[in-house]
Amino acid sequence: MPQNSLYNDAEHQQRDEDHFRTVADSSPVLLWITDPDGKATFFNKGWLEFTGRDISEEIDYGWTSGVHPDDRLTVVNSFSEAIAKHSEYLCEYRLRRHDGLYRWVSVKGTPRYLSDGTYAGYVGGCLDVDVQKRFASELEQQVEQRTKALQDSQNFLKSVLDTTQNLIYIYDFEKERIVFINGKSFEATGYTPEEFESATTDLFTPLVHKDDLDNFYAQRKQIRENLGDDMASVEFRLKNKDGWSCQLSRDMVFKRDQHGRATQYLGVCTDISEIKNANAQLQNKNDELQRSNVELASFSSIASHDFKEPLRKIMIFSKLVLSSERKNLSEESAGFLDRVIVAANRMQQLIDDLISYSRTSSTTKLEFVSSDLNLLIDDALDDLDEVVNQENATINVDDLPVMAVHQSQFRQLFLNLIGNAVKYRRHDLPPVINISSDKATRQEISALNGDVRQEYCKIIISDNGIGFPEEFSDKIFEPFQRLHDKDEYSGTGIGLAICSKIMTNHKGFITARSQKGHGSTFTVYVPWIN
C-alpha cells in the first residue's frame, strides 16, 4: 500500500476531501484535483479568482482553454503521459489571468491513492512565477546579446590580427609554449593551425637562429622577471620556407598571477629584413662615399698645388716677357700675352672657387659654436676693406644676434654676399649695403617647406646695385650661373652656390629677391640651435 495513503474507506475519503477543499480555498496557491481519468473535479478559490472564471467553466478539461495556445498541446500531452504512468507531473506554462494577460505558472501534480491503494487521480498546485520567468528570460537575452557582442568583438579582433603584417603571439611560461599566434604567424613559420593546436611543446623557438637564441632567451627571462609594464625589444632571425627573415619583437607582460608574477607575455614581431638589407646597402654607399670623399680631398690637394703651379709659371713668364721684350714685340703679340695673363688669372680664380665649393660640400661633421655674428661681419669687412674703400661703399650693419654656426663657413657667407653687393654696383651711384636681422615668421618658414616648429633668425642683406631679373631668383644659386658677361664683371659663378651649400649645411635657407636696375635683397634663414 502506498505510504501517503490516508484513507480507510470512501466515507473517510469524502470527509478528508471536504476538509481539503475548505483549507484549499484559504490558500494563495492555485490548487486543483482530478479524477482517475485526469478530468478536473475541483479548483480552489485562488484559482477561480486568478482566472476570473466560474468552476463550471473550469472542471473537466475546461481549464485548458485558459492555457496559452502555444503551450496548450504540450501541457495536455505531458499531463496525459503522467496520468498513464501515474507519475509526478511537473510543467511550466502560460495561464490567462482574469484581466486577459497571460502569466507564467509552475505546476506540480502528485498522484493520490485511496487507503486500499486504488489510484484516485491527481492533486496539484500552481505558483505564479511570471516575474521570475520574465527576469530569467531577460537575463538569458542579455547573456545571449553579450555573448554575441563578445563573439563579434573576438571575430573582429581575430580578423584584425590575421590581416596585420606583424607576427603576433602569446607565450605561456607555465605551459612553456606559445598558446596563440595570428594568421600571419602561420604564413611566416610554415606551421598549419592543426599542427599548432596539437603541439605540446614550443614550435616557435626551434625556428630561431642558433646565434640569436641567447638574446632570445634573455629577452624571455627579462619579461618573466619584469614587475612593471615596460616593453622590451629583441632582434632575431626566424627560419621560414624561403630562408631566414629578420624579426624585431616588441614584448610585454600579457597576464600575471595573484602574486604579480608574469604568466604570459605578448610578442609583436615586425619583419625588418628589408630595412636591414637597405641599411646594409646604405652602409656600402656610405663607404663608397667616404672613399669618394678621400679621393676628392686628394683631388683638391692636387688642384690647390699641382694645378696652380703651371698657371703661376705661365703668369710669371708671360709678365717677364712683357716687361723685358715689349719693345721688341708687335702690338698684336703684346695683346696676346696680356690675354694669356688674364685667362690664367681667371683659371686660378676658378680653381680656388672650386676648391672652396668642394670643401663647403664636404660630408665631414661640422662643429657649430656660439658666435657673435657682428664679429664675423667685421672679419669679412676686413678682407673686403680695399675694394670697399676703392668703390666708396657704405655698409650699414644693425646689431646681429649670437648664434650657433660654423664660423669659417659663415664668414665665407658674409664675404661672398657683401663682395657681390659691392661688385654688382651701379656706375652712377656708390654702393650702399644694409645688413639687419629679425625673427622669421611661421608663414615664411612654411613657404620654404621648413619645420614650422623650429625657430629661425633671418638676416637680410640688401643693396642698391644693378639687380637682376626676378625669374633668375633660384638659378643664381646654381654653380657656374652667370647673368653678366665675364668681361663686364669678373667672377666664376661659384660664390652664390657656395652660400647655398653653407645654408644647407646649417639646415637653413637662402633666398634672393630683385628687379633689374633696382638692387637686390638676399635673406638668410638660420635655425636657432641650442
Side-chain angles (χ1 to χ4, degrees):
M1 178 181 293
Q3 185 178 359
N4 65 343
S5 176
L6 303 176
Y7 307 101
N8 296 320
D9 50 36
E11 184 179 349
H12 289 162
Q13 178 184 351
Q14 184 62 46
R15 189 167 53 250
D16 289 344
E17 285 188 3
D18 291 342
H19 179 70
F20 171 78
R21 293 169 189 267
T22 302
V23 174
D25 282 340
S26 64
S27 172
V29 180
L30 313 183
L31 300 175
W32 47 269
I33 298 176
T34 74
D35 64 12
D37 295 327
K39 297 178 181 179
T41 61
F42 169 77
F43 291 94
N44 73 339
K45 184 178 179 181
W47 176 287
L48 298 176
E49 289 178 349
F50 181 89
T51 61
R53 287 155 59 95
D54 188 81
I55 192 168
S56 62
E57 297 176 280
E58 300 291 277
I59 58 174
D60 203 346
Y61 285 100
W63 62 274
T64 59
S65 64
V67 178
H68 194 284
D70 293 343
D71 302 337
R72 190 173 300 152
L73 184 60
T74 301
V75 170
V76 171
N77 288 341
S78 61
F79 190 39
S80 297
E81 290 177 5
I83 292 174
K85 299 177 182 178
H86 296 177
S87 61
E88 187 177 61
Y89 172 61
L90 298 172
C91 186
E92 286 185 353
Y93 61 85
R94 287 164 288 183
L95 183 64
R96 187 173 61 237
R97 199 169 60 179
H98 59 83
D99 56 4
L101 298 177
Y102 285 95
R103 304 279 292 182
W104 281 97
V105 293
S106 177
V107 183
K108 180 178 180 180
T110 303
R112 59 191 180 91
Y113 297 88
L114 299 179
S115 59
D116 60 0
T118 303
Y119 166 69
Y122 273 78
V123 61
C126 300
L127 290 176
D128 186 338
V129 294
D130 192 77
V131 173
Q132 298 91 320
K133 190 74 174 178
R134 293 184 186 279
F135 176 77
S137 176
E138 290 177 2
L139 183 61
E140 183 178 348
Q141 289 180 2
Q142 291 178 4
V143 171
E144 183 179 350
Q145 291 173 355
R146 291 179 181 178
T147 301
K148 184 178 183 304
L150 179 60
Q151 186 63 46
D152 291 342
S153 177
Q154 289 176 338
N155 291 338
F156 173 75
L157 179 59
K158 184 177 184 302
S159 66
V160 171
L161 294 179
D162 285 343
T163 55
T164 182
Q165 292 303 302
N166 296 95
L167 280 66
I168 301 175
Y169 64 93
I170 296 176
Y171 180 84
D172 190 292
F173 288 107
E174 305 300 328
K175 297 179 180 179
E176 296 186 343
R177 69 182 184 91
I178 289 176
V179 294
F180 168 82
I181 57 175
N182 67 335
K184 181 65 177 178
S185 299
F186 290 120
E187 177 186 335
T189 61
Y191 289 123
T192 65
E194 292 74 20
E195 289 174 320
F196 174 76
E197 290 294 336
S198 61
T200 57
T201 58
D202 185 4
L203 297 178
F204 195 80
T205 305
L207 300 180
V208 177
H209 196 285
K210 62 182 180 63
D211 293 341
D212 299 331
L213 277 175
D214 287 344
N215 289 339
F216 187 80
Y217 285 134
Q219 165 88 340
R220 187 168 285 177
K221 181 180 179 182
Q222 179 183 350
I223 293 291
R224 178 69 159 165
E225 297 174 353
N226 183 11
L227 298 179
D229 296 324
D230 299 333
M231 182 178 292
S233 300
V234 65
E235 288 185 19
F236 59 88
R237 285 161 288 180
L238 186 69
K239 188 176 182 180
N240 55 38
K241 60 184 179 180
D242 299 321
W244 295 95
S245 65
C246 188
Q247 301 287 334
L248 172 61
S249 183
R250 296 181 174 89
D251 309 330
M252 66 181 300
V253 175
F254 183 71
K255 188 180 293 186
R256 298 181 185 276
D257 60 19
Q258 65 271 25
H259 304 296
R261 184 174 174 81
T263 58
Q264 291 182 345
Y265 77 86
L266 173 70
V268 180
C269 296
T270 303
D271 191 334
I272 59 173
S273 302
E274 292 185 2
I275 297 176
K276 282 285 189 179
N277 292 334
N279 286 340
Q281 294 176 8
L282 181 61
Q283 184 59 49
N284 291 336
K285 292 294 184 183
N286 286 338
D287 293 341
E288 292 177 8
L289 182 60
Q290 189 63 34
R291 289 192 294 271
S292 297
N293 287 337
V294 172
E295 293 173 0
L296 181 60
S298 176
F299 173 80
S300 298
S301 177
I302 294 173
S304 63
H305 296 92
D306 297 349
F307 287 179
K308 290 170 68 174
E309 181 60 21
L311 287 175
R312 189 178 67 82
K313 290 181 178 179
I314 289 173
M315 288 188 291
I316 290 175
F317 290 135
S318 296
K319 289 178 180 179
L320 287 174
V321 171
L322 280 177
S323 62
S324 62
E325 300 293 333
R326 180 178 287 276
K327 60 183 178 180
N328 298 322
L329 296 174
S330 66
E331 184 176 344
E332 184 178 16
S333 296
F336 287 153
L337 284 174
D338 284 333
R339 293 172 67 180
V340 167
I341 295 172
V342 170
N345 272 322
R346 188 176 294 122
M347 184 63 182
Q348 188 173 41
Q349 182 62 48
L350 179 59
I351 291 173
D352 289 340
D353 287 348
L354 283 173
I355 292 171
S356 179
Y357 183 78
S358 172
R359 289 172 178 168
T360 305
S361 302
S362 172
T363 57
T364 303
K365 186 175 181 180
L366 301 177
E367 182 182 359
F368 295 89
V369 296
S370 181
S371 308
D372 187 342
L373 299 188
N374 297 287
L375 299 180
L376 298 182
I377 287 278
D378 291 342
D379 289 346
L381 292 178
D382 286 343
D383 291 343
L384 295 168
D385 183 64
E386 183 177 349
V387 67
V388 168
N389 291 331
Q390 180 181 336
E391 300 300 337
N392 194 28
T394 300
I395 301 177
N396 303 311
V397 183
D398 289 352
D399 188 33
L400 301 181
V402 173
M403 301 190 70
V405 297
H406 187 274
Q407 291 186 340
S408 64
Q409 288 196 4
F410 237 76
R411 188 182 299 109
Q412 183 71 44
L413 175 80
F414 288 140
L415 189 65
N416 289 0
L417 291 177
I418 297 172
N420 274 3
V422 175
K423 181 195 299 184
Y424 296 105
R425 65 196 180 284
R426 289 175 52 175
H427 296 300
D428 58 336
L429 288 175
V432 177
I433 302 164
N434 297 308
I435 303 174
S436 61
S437 66
D438 199 356
K439 180 180 179 180
T441 65
R442 290 191 175 185
Q443 290 78 6
E444 289 176 297
I445 301 306
S446 177
L448 295 168
N449 293 322
D451 185 355
V452 296
R453 297 168 299 180
Q454 172 71 54
E455 290 188 352
Y456 289 78
C457 171
K458 64 178 180 181
I459 302 168
I460 306 102
I461 301 176
S462 60
D463 62 60
N464 63 342
I466 60 174
F468 56 85
E470 191 72 24
E471 60 265 27
F472 291 103
S473 294
D474 294 327
K475 292 184 178 180
I476 60 173
F477 294 107
E478 298 175 6
F480 306 112
Q481 286 294 325
R482 294 179 54 87
L483 304 183
H484 308 282
D485 188 88
K486 64 179 181 296
D487 294 328
E488 184 179 4
Y489 292 96
S490 63
T492 60
I494 299 292
L496 289 179
I498 292 175
C499 292
S500 178
K501 183 60 65 174
I502 289 172
M503 291 318 302
T504 298
N505 293 343
H506 284 74
K507 302 186 185 307
F509 310 93
I510 182 170
T511 64
R513 183 167 49 85
S514 180
Q515 289 185 1
K516 192 171 182 179
H518 292 84
S520 304
T521 298
F522 288 85
T523 304
V524 174
Y525 296 88
V526 191
W528 291 97
I529 302 176
N530 296 327

